[in-house]
Amino acid sequence: MPAADAEVLDELRRLRTRLPQVTGALAAAADGLVIAQDADGTEADAVAALTAASLAVAVRMAAATGRGEFRELLVRGVDGYVATYAAGPLAVLTVLAEPRVNVGRLHLESRQSGARIAELVGRHYARDPAEHGTDDPMPRRIPRSLPPPTGERPGGRS
């Protein structure tokens, strides 16, 4: 495990310690590649892939509604929450939480962890891959916005 990934894993564990209602946490690249995960009984690769897919929709939704860059996405199910936060331009943080979690605290703690993960990932992956001895260059950034589908004008109808 690269040093940055180990540090990211430590941050995920600290998040779960600070907020015991968090049942799992995962950091992934914008394209769905798992960086680190601390989620018992969860298919990390599947969650990371779904995170990438939901990220694409959330980025488009924010852009189409004039809300600016993606920051976070919250899904509430009968059995709890799935929250995804931007962790800088290279990564996202997905957090699983029990239904009884204080959502304000979930946001506060997760945003802090996202900022720390952004710092760790940026420090490690922002340079040329040859400089840090890995062939994993974190291939995609979180897009600031996505172009509209063919034939559609931004903010309007085709």
Side-chain angles (χ1 to χ4, degrees):
M1 174 181 285
D5 296 359
E7 290 178 276
V8 171
L9 179 57
D10 288 343
E11 181 58 37
L12 296 178
R13 289 178 176 154
R14 283 192 294 272
L15 171 61
R16 288 187 69 183
T17 298
R18 290 191 313 265
L19 195 57
Q21 296 81 23
V22 168
T23 59
L26 168 104
D31 64 356
L33 177 70
V34 175
I35 298 169
Q37 65 97 14
D38 183 26
D40 301 331
T42 301
E43 295 270 340
D45 290 331
V47 172
L50 288 168
T51 294
S54 63
L55 174 65
V57 172
V59 166
R60 184 170 297 282
M61 176 71 83
T65 59
R67 301 299 176 238
E69 283 182 50
F70 168 79
R71 291 288 184 246
E72 57 199 45
L73 172 68
L74 181 67
V75 176
R76 180 179 177 212
V78 173
D79 295 324
Y81 294 88
V82 179
T84 299
Y85 302 86
L90 299 173
V92 292
L93 167 65
T94 295
V95 180
L96 310 175
E98 296 174 353
R100 63 189 181 95
V101 72
N102 177 312
V103 176
R105 184 135 182 254
L106 173 68
H107 287 319
L108 176 70
E109 298 292 348
S110 298
R111 289 171 185 152
Q112 289 174 355
S113 287
R116 177 72 177 133
I117 290 166
E119 176 186 315
L120 294 168
V121 169
R123 186 172 62 213
H124 184 71
Y125 290 104
R127 301 171 293 179
D128 178 29
E131 289 180 24
H132 54 81
T134 181
D135 58 355
D136 179 12
M138 290 288 284
R140 261 190 51 205
R141 293 180 170 276
I142 296 174
R144 292 179 158 262
S145 64
L146 297 176
T150 307
E152 188 177 311
R153 293 188 318 257
R157 294 178 238 197
S158 33

